[in-house]
Amino acid sequence: MFTRAIVRKPCRAMLNGLSEANMGDPNYALACEQHQDYINALKECGLQVTELPAIEEFPDSCFVEDVALLTPKCAILTHPGAISRRGETSHIEDAISEFYPNIERIDSSGHVEAGDIMMVANHFYIGLSDRTDVNGATQLINILAKHNLTGSMVEMSELLHLKTGLSYLENNKLLTFGEMNTHPDFTQFNRVEIDGDEGYAANSVWINDTVLVPKGFPKALHKIQQLGYKTREVAMSEFQKLDGGLSCLSLRF
Ligand code: GLY
């Protein structure tokens, strides 16, 4: 169960955000509208939402998921692999300290972005991507161990972040896409493959038995509904242009 979420309003500078999507520039007004609907969806799932203001200095700062890992036992500030995103962590710290008295942190010798981390009960899968390295993942596993939590590293080569191609929907159900469809680390799960032409929907978000699904991916929506979940579609076109998925837009805890 999650009870809270933290989000940050997109900034006008989001047009300069990191992207390899080649889908054109985001429309800021539409992005704000979509972000508001995302907040509405979180609230419909029963979450209390802390809404942080936009920071123009950091174009990607609405993607708050990457800069912290919030677990039931501890909060960990990351050290993003993307240089332009490193300053975002200090901006999230105040919001997190309201809920977590002791905040752990990844030091600057390693890199972690929490879009690379998937929580399954007390275990945390950590994707080794261009944004998260072995040093950062090792630091993270050591911090988790102090809190009786475990972590393991996941080799990957194609995706931006681990959760670009994986979403855990609880009850042993895992959405997969691309290289994650056959990845040996996830054979124990009931895997549901998202079709290649709807890969963006592999980043869907389980919240208290509702699954948020990006709008416009009917086959993925149907598959998730067939698993027995209530679904809530959220339009994400403007964030997709910046390689951002549904999970990236919030910290849920
Ligand atoms: N544009 C989101 C990211 O690349 O981190």
Side-chain angles (χ1 to χ4, degrees), residues 18 60 63 85 131 242:
L18 298 170
D60 288 297
F63 301 119
R85 302 202 56 189
R131 306 287 185 88
L242 295 178

Side-chain angles (χ1 to χ4, degrees), residues 10 14 26-37 235 238-239:
M14 73 184 292
N27 175 307
Y28 181 64
L30 183 55
C32 290
E33 210 175 285
Q34 293 180 345
H35 195 257
Q36 184 56 56
D37 188 49
E238 304 317 291
F239 301 101

Side-chain angles (χ1 to χ4, degrees), residues 17-29:
L18 298 170
S19 178
E20 294 184 357
N22 283 321
M23 295 175 75
D25 287 339
N27 175 307
Y28 181 64

Side-chain angles (χ1 to χ4, degrees), residues 173-193:
K173 294 179 178 122
L174 188 65
L175 294 186
T176 65
F177 166 67
E179 65 184 304
M180 293 301 152
N181 288 340
T182 53
H183 199 292
D185 290 14
F186 303 107
T187 49
Q188 74 273 33
F189 294 100
N190 297 329
R191 293 195 249 202
V192 177
E193 288 185 20

